[in-house]
Amino acid sequence: MRLVLVVFCNLLNSSTGDTIPDVVNIGALFSFNSTIGKVAKIAIESAVEEVNSNPDVLGGAKLKLTLQDTNYSGFIGMLEALTLLENKTVAIIGPQFSVIAHMVSHIANEFQVPLLSFASTDPTLSSLQYPYFVRTTRSDLFQMSAIADMVSYYGWRDVIALYVDDDYGRNGVAALGDKLAEKRCKISYKAPLRPRGTKEEITDVLVTLALTEFRVIVLHTYENWSLEVLNVARYLGMKNSGYVWIVTDCLSNVLDTESELTSKARSDIQGVITLKMYTPDSKQKRKFVNKWKMNTPFGLNVYGLYAYDTVWILAKAIGEFFNQGGNVSFTKDSRLSDSMSIFNGGNQLLHNILQVNNMNGLTGPIRFNSDGNLMNPAYEIINVVGTGSRRIGFWSNYSGLSVLPPEVLYSKPPNRSISSQRLYSVVWPGETTQKPRGWAFPNNGKHLRIGVPNRVIYPEFVSQIKGTDMFHGYCIDVFTAALNILPYGVPYKLIGFGDGQNNPKFDDLLRLITTDYYDAAVGDFSITTGRTKLVDFTQPYIDSGLVVVAPIRKLNSNAWAFLRPFTPQLWCVTGAFFLVVGVVVWILEHRINDDFRGPPKRQIGTILWFSFSTLFFSHRERTKSPLGRLVLIIWLFVVLILTSSYTASLTSILTVEQLSSSIKDIKSLITSDVPIGYQRGSFAENYLTEELNIDLSRLVPLNSAEAYEKALKDGPKKGGVAAVVDERAYMEVFLSTRCEFSIIGQDFTRIGWGFAFPRDSPLAIDMSTAILQLSENGDLQRIHDMWLTRRACSSQGAKQEVDMLQLKSFWGLFAMCGFACLLAFLVFLMQIIRQFSRHYPDLEEELGEPSSRSSLQTARLQTFISFVGEKEEVIKSRSKKRKMEKASIRSTEEDQSVTGDVKQDC
């Protein structure tokens, strides 16, 4: 009878259009016996009672609430929704479950009845497909964003998603995957649970998870199931140290609603992190909570607050609807049965609902954004510890993770920087405060298969011990040292790659990691752009880069470096010429120059001093004879050339590499057409051809250090190469005993070596951290020195011969100087002989008595030597005196002859 009156009143109102009905029918759909449902029922009824007790809200009208129990069934929920619509319902509160909300939303669209859900958190319900669906709670999009921020905050990269396999679970996990991708993290394993699955099915799923390497598990399911899943996890040992359990707000609802959990249930949830929608404190909220505690045997969860506010949102929208002149009227549709009709004011009521502003509810200020979501979403982050729980921080869409309440941050500029993100400490599963690393090796007894290149060249880096399956070398020692730093053991087995006759191609080895044939690769792998697309590399453990190596002339400095510019032959010839020139100048000067005369010791000293002082152009003796000056000028020119060449050569030896080829750097190598050597199997081939556009026909693959040496020594004319392009680390070992070659120019690439792991491997991150620790404590350098210490060159003598100035470079100067000395000496000798002949024309007569021919020659030689040694002025004076004596004697004889003749005549 009452129903008939209500319908009659509605028809009357629709006909008049200017009166407010006494009763407005609204409905509610949810499961009464669920954790959320039993709280929501009381909260909704309480809100309706308060609305009806305030005539100002609806202008005198009353809300008539019809509750329908969906009993966890989408089909029943759909039938109950149709039942509500038969009663001319203007709006429906609910459904509670997202699966049912998807079904009922289609019905709401057809009847144009707003659907206000306080508990359906599936992000896809906000799509344009459901225009009449209004979410009056928080979307799981924001909850998954909070979880992604936590995963990134703790440094994890991979998570397992354990979820109920329905619209609620799948769409929530899809949102989680999107948010993790924004943080460069990912869901590595998805584990769906069948809705209403048995304990055995849960066990089977968790056993599979336990065999994986991932230890960060995000549980997204319903309230009742969350405890069941965690119970099985504890039974399987998945709540021990090393595991991370992040449970969506389904667990916090249980903690808030169930006042007392059993000790077994408490043990199941120890160390778990769960989220709870944040609602700021207010006087209105405290009053409601106190009233709840006094009248209700179970706790109040946050969905109860949202259910309460949903009634008030709807009431204010209906009141505004009436204020706008709207009336409650329905229109028949030929497609529908006679008992059903379309709500004419549905679109206007929906608009009013979304335009509710400046309303302060139990959950805080209520306002919808353009996407239909409530503004300022925020969550509490809770850590279950002991018999209770503790809040470790907050998350808000405004500033991310923080230990400050969101309303405090709203008054400040948004700050999402890494330094601003903060949470309090957590007690993890296993009652440990040390942050779990987030992964572990699978519990299947499998060893990691690690590929190692079976190198032929440079065994110092990686080589297989003959007769065994073991490897050693610099790279192997760095790898094992890094493993020893890790706080956990790594079972592994090294497996050689290559035939041992030729260097294997590293790219082929790395591709086998992508096919899961190898779990990692250890060796001298250069980290290049192309390779990073295949695998993940660790932090570089050695710096390297491509360099050009060519024949050079270079000597290392030592205490006798000043002798290196000249060869021994050149030094000897130069010293001899100093003495020769000194003697020649002495010979040319001593007869006329007092500076070159004196006792024998003084003359010898003068010769030595004068000759060697010309090296510095500091001789103090003046030359007087033209021949001496000629010789000295030529000799000083030779000395100038020698000193200049010596200075330039010494400077070059000590500071500059003297190249024996035309290759100066990589640019000159590119522009030339000479052959280039490279290490077979390295990335140098691809780099030279693809990046530097060098024709493949110019490249010569080399397989050993001996092949490098031979090809460089032979050169292009003998079938060798002009230069070798390889990585610096290799070349330093190669050049340590081959000093006739050297690196030309600078590194034209900057790369490093790292160990290779599958993409997104957590072990790669831990190994990178270990390598950094090795670098900081000096162990990395000690390993380097043990294997790669440079040794002294064995061909130092050959290098000296190459770098020294040769005698043949100066033979023209010495020949010119020698010819000048010889010519001057011959001219001087002719002059002396001529003078001697003039001054001693009748040596036999002067001797006074006849002698043998030999005696006469000896006497003449002694006289000549004595003549050469005498000063020219003395000789001239004596010669003049002798001539005067001869003239006097001749005059006397003539006088005597005349006297005799006179006497004879007489």
Side-chain angles (χ1 to χ4, degrees):
M1 183 65 178
R2 185 176 180 182
L3 180 60
V4 175
L5 291 175
V6 172
V7 174
F8 176 75
C9 291
N10 289 338
L11 292 174
L12 181 62
N13 291 334
S14 64
S15 63
T16 59
D18 56 357
T19 60
I20 297 176
D22 295 332
V23 176
V24 179
N25 290 326
I26 63 173
L29 290 173
F30 51 87
S31 298
F32 294 168
N33 63 343
S34 64
T35 301
I36 294 176
K38 63 183 182 180
V39 174
K41 183 175 181 297
I42 298 175
I44 291 173
E45 291 176 340
S46 176
V48 170
E49 182 180 350
E50 291 182 13
V51 169
N52 290 337
S53 64
N54 188 349
D56 295 334
V57 179
L58 299 178
K62 303 288 186 180
L63 291 180
K64 182 181 179 182
L65 175 65
T66 302
L67 298 174
Q68 298 289 351
D69 187 2
T70 60
N71 198 23
Y72 299 98
S73 172
F75 178 73
I76 294 176
M78 184 176 59
L79 294 180
E80 297 295 350
L82 292 173
T83 302
L84 291 173
L85 293 175
E86 288 179 349
N87 295 332
K88 308 300 182 183
T89 301
V90 299
I92 298 175
I93 298 174
Q96 169 191 348
F97 296 106
S98 298
V99 175
I100 302 176
H102 277 280
M103 298 180 181
V104 178
S105 292
H106 292 286
I107 299 175
N109 291 345
E110 293 295 332
F111 288 91
Q112 299 182 12
V113 175
L115 194 65
L116 292 79
S117 178
F118 60 89
S120 297
T121 56
D122 179 1
T124 63
L125 288 169
S126 299
S127 64
L128 298 177
Q129 183 182 7
Y130 308 115
Y132 281 88
F133 177 83
V134 179
R135 194 197 315 274
T136 58
T137 187
R138 304 299 184 183
S139 169
D140 277 338
L141 180 68
F142 303 109
Q143 181 172 210
M144 298 308 173
S145 181
I147 293 175
D149 280 356
M150 280 194 294
V151 171
S152 176
Y153 172 78
Y154 288 114
W156 302 315
R157 295 183 61 184
D158 300 86
V159 303
I160 292 175
L162 181 60
Y163 60 97
V164 59
D165 194 13
D166 59 11
D167 292 337
Y168 164 72
R170 286 191 300 269
N171 295 331
V173 168
L176 174 62
D178 294 339
K179 293 300 180 181
L180 286 172
E182 294 176 3
K183 302 294 182 180
R184 300 188 66 182
C185 305
K186 65 184 178 69
I187 299 175
S188 299
Y189 191 88
K190 292 183 178 180
L193 295 169
R194 187 175 68 85
R196 301 183 184 180
T198 63
K199 187 174 182 178
E200 288 73 18
E201 291 175 336
I202 297 174
T203 302
D204 292 341
V205 172
L206 292 183
V207 167
T208 303
L209 297 185
L211 296 177
T212 66
E213 61 184 289
F214 310 109
R215 292 294 182 266
V216 181
I217 303 173
V218 177
L219 177 60
H220 184 51
T221 183
Y222 298 113
E223 288 78 5
N224 297 335
W225 262 29
S226 62
L227 293 178
E228 185 73 18
V229 171
L230 293 172
N231 175 258
V232 175
R234 187 172 72 90
Y235 174 77
L236 295 176
M238 298 178 67
K239 292 296 303 304
N240 297 332
S241 178
Y243 277 92
V244 177
W245 284 86
I246 302 176
V247 185
T248 54
D249 59 0
C250 58
L251 180 59
S252 63
N253 291 326
V254 175
L255 297 177
D256 289 339
T257 307
E258 305 297 334
S259 58
E260 293 186 4
L261 292 176
T262 64
S263 59
K264 179 181 179 182
R266 282 286 176 185
S267 299
D268 295 340
I269 61 177
Q270 290 298 302
V272 171
I273 293 178
T274 184
L275 286 85
K276 175 183 176 181
M277 283 183 281
Y278 174 72
T279 57
D281 190 25
S282 65
K283 182 178 179 181
Q284 180 184 1
K285 176 183 174 182
R286 289 195 299 269
K287 181 179 178 181
F288 184 84
V289 172
N290 292 333
K291 180 181 177 182
W292 185 280
K293 291 180 179 179
M294 293 175 59
N295 301 316
T296 310
F298 46 83
L300 172 65
N301 59 52
V302 70
Y303 285 101
L305 302 178
Y306 280 104
Y308 178 89
D309 285 347
T310 301
V311 175
W312 276 98
I313 293 172
L314 178 57
K316 287 184 176 294
I318 294 174
E320 185 64 23
F321 175 77
F322 290 148
N323 293 336
Q324 296 169 350
N327 57 17
V328 180
S329 63
F330 296 85
T331 301
K332 295 291 184 181
D333 191 326
S334 59
R335 298 173 302 168
L336 304 174
S337 63
D338 294 338
S339 60
M340 294 184 177
S341 55
I342 298 174
F343 178 37
N344 295 326
N347 190 44
Q348 184 179 357
L349 179 60
L350 174 64
H351 177 76
N352 291 341
I353 292 172
L354 296 176
Q355 292 300 315
V356 170
N357 294 325
N358 301 322
M359 173 184 168
N360 289 319
L362 300 180
T363 58
I366 296 175
R367 185 178 180 183
F368 292 94
N369 60 19
S370 58
D371 296 329
N373 290 313
L374 290 173
M375 300 283 283
N376 298 327
Y379 287 84
E380 297 180 59
I381 303 174
I382 298 170
N383 181 209
V384 181
V385 182
T387 59
S389 59
R390 54 188 288 266
R391 184 169 58 201
I392 61 172
F394 302 90
W395 177 91
S396 68
N397 197 43
Y398 186 76
S399 294
L401 301 174
S402 173
V403 295
L404 299 176
E407 61 267 21
V408 176
L409 301 175
Y410 294 149
S411 61
K412 302 178 182 179
N415 187 0
R416 284 275 190 160
S417 64
I418 296 177
S419 59
S420 67
Q421 306 298 291
R422 184 188 172 196
L423 293 174
Y424 290 122
S425 61
V426 178
V427 178
W428 304 99
E431 298 182 356
T432 177
T433 57
Q434 182 178 1
K435 185 201 74 173
R437 64 176 181 268
W439 68 279
F441 290 99
N443 298 325
N444 52 14
K446 177 184 176 182
H447 284 64
L448 293 182
R449 291 173 53 87
I450 299 179
V452 180
N454 193 2
R455 297 185 56 86
V456 177
I457 187 174
Y458 303 126
E460 295 90 344
F461 295 99
V462 179
S463 62
Q464 187 171 4
I465 302 175
K466 292 184 179 181
T468 69
D469 58 354
M470 301 174 63
F471 291 82
H472 67 168
Y474 169 69
C475 301
I476 302 299
D477 281 4
V478 173
F479 176 72
T480 54
L483 285 182
N484 292 334
I485 294 180
L486 298 180
Y488 50 87
V490 179
Y492 69 93
K493 181 179 181 181
L494 300 179
I495 301 174
F497 176 79
D499 57 8
Q501 303 298 323
N502 297 285
N503 289 328
K505 290 187 176 182
F506 288 174
D507 289 346
D508 294 341
L509 171 57
L510 297 178
R511 288 191 186 95
L512 292 178
I513 297 178
T514 63
T515 62
D516 295 332
Y517 182 81
Y518 289 127
D519 298 307
V522 172
D524 43 343
F525 303 116
S526 299
I527 304 174
T528 63
T529 303
R531 291 175 178 176
T532 56
K533 296 177 181 179
L534 298 175
V535 296
D536 277 353
F537 286 96
T538 61
Q539 170 79 17
Y541 58 88
I542 188 174
D543 293 329
S544 188
L546 290 178
V547 294
V548 178
V549 172
I552 68 159
R553 298 191 306 251
K554 181 184 178 183
L555 288 178
N556 297 326
S557 299
N558 58 37
W560 301 99
F562 67 92
L563 296 176
R564 290 178 180 168
F566 293 169
T567 61
Q569 294 86 349
L570 182 57
W571 279 117
C572 292
V573 171
T574 302
F577 261 83
F578 273 106
L579 295 177
V580 169
V581 170
V583 171
V584 170
V585 172
W586 176 82
I587 292 175
L588 298 175
E589 292 289 327
H590 86 286
R591 301 183 70 250
I592 61 176
N593 194 336
D594 291 338
D595 291 340
F596 292 87
R597 300 191 63 81
K601 290 183 178 180
R602 178 184 175 186
Q603 295 186 53
I604 294 174
T606 300
I607 292 173
L608 295 176
W609 163 255
F610 178 82
S611 61
F612 287 103
S613 64
T614 57
L615 176 64
F616 307 101
F617 305 97
S618 60
H619 50 283
R620 62 174 180 267
E621 293 80 6
R622 298 177 59 186
T623 55
K624 295 181 178 181
S625 68
L627 292 176
R629 291 175 177 177
L630 174 64
V631 171
L632 184 60
I633 289 174
I634 295 175
W635 173 242
L636 291 179
F637 175 74
V638 173
V639 169
L640 176 64
I641 300 300
L642 287 174
T643 55
S644 300
S645 301
Y646 173 86
T647 303
S649 179
L650 182 62
T651 303
S652 176
I653 288 175
L654 297 180
T655 61
V656 181
E657 293 179 348
Q658 302 177 10
L659 303 183
S660 61
S661 70
S662 60
I663 304 301
K664 300 297 185 295
D665 51 26
I666 186 61
K667 292 182 180 179
S668 62
L669 189 62
I670 295 173
T671 56
S672 66
D673 58 355
V674 295
I676 304 170
Y678 70 94
Q679 182 183 162
R680 186 190 301 273
S682 72
F683 81 100
E685 178 183 2
N686 291 336
Y687 187 88
L688 293 174
T689 56
E690 297 177 5
E691 300 295 333
L692 302 182
N693 297 319
I694 297 177
D695 191 84
L696 184 62
S697 60
R698 293 178 55 192
L699 302 184
V700 179
L702 303 173
N703 209 42
S704 65
E706 291 73 18
Y708 278 23
E709 183 176 8
K710 184 179 185 302
L712 288 171
K713 285 184 176 179
D714 291 345
K717 295 182 180 180
K718 297 182 179 180
V721 297
V724 169
V725 174
D726 207 343
E727 296 184 59
R728 175 175 286 275
Y730 300 134
M731 291 294 92
E732 288 180 351
V733 175
F734 173 76
L735 297 173
S736 63
T737 56
R738 298 171 177 87
C739 300
E740 63 270 30
F741 313 112
S742 184
I743 295 174
I744 308 303
Q746 302 295 323
D747 299 19
F748 57 91
T749 63
R750 287 289 182 183
I751 55 177
W753 290 357
F755 305 129
F757 292 88
R759 296 296 299 272
D760 300 323
S761 171
L763 183 56
I765 300 175
D766 289 354
M767 287 293 290
S768 294
T769 303
I771 290 173
L772 289 175
Q773 293 181 20
L774 289 176
S775 177
E776 292 171 357
N777 61 26
D779 288 343
L780 196 60
Q781 185 62 42
R782 282 190 285 272
I783 297 173
H784 179 277
D785 295 342
M786 182 178 66
W787 284 99
L788 308 178
T789 300
R790 294 176 62 88
R791 296 179 293 274
C793 294
S794 60
S795 55
Q796 191 72 18
K799 287 177 58 182
Q800 292 179 357
E801 293 180 1
V802 172
D803 282 348
M804 292 177 179
L805 295 175
Q806 303 294 320
L807 176 61
K808 61 183 180 181
S809 300
F810 301 93
W811 71 269
L813 288 174
F814 286 116
M816 181 178 63
C817 183
F819 177 75
C821 292
L822 179 62
L823 179 63
F825 178 77
L826 292 176
V827 172
F828 173 78
L829 184 61
M830 292 175 62
Q831 291 178 346
I832 290 296
I833 293 174
R834 186 171 61 85
Q835 291 180 3
F836 181 75
S837 300
R838 187 172 64 246
H839 290 291
Y840 294 95
D842 300 320
L843 183 60
E844 294 181 1
E845 295 179 0
E846 294 182 4
L847 292 176
E849 55 185 43
S851 302
S852 64
R853 185 176 181 86
S854 60
S855 298
L856 181 62
Q857 291 179 348
T858 301
R860 288 184 63 87
L861 180 60
Q862 292 176 349
T863 304
F864 180 77
I865 294 174
S866 176
F867 175 79
V868 172
E870 289 182 333
K871 192 174 182 180
E872 188 172 347
E873 293 179 355
V874 175
I875 294 175
K876 289 182 179 181
S877 176
R878 188 173 62 244
S879 177
K880 183 177 180 180
K881 182 178 180 181
R882 184 178 300 166
K883 288 180 179 180
M884 292 176 64
E885 290 177 351
K886 287 183 177 182
S888 176
I889 294 172
R890 188 180 299 112
S891 176
T892 303
E893 292 177 350
E894 290 179 352
D895 291 341
Q896 292 177 354
S897 175
V898 171
T899 303
D901 291 340
V902 170
K903 289 180 176 182
Q904 187 177 1
D905 291 337
C906 290

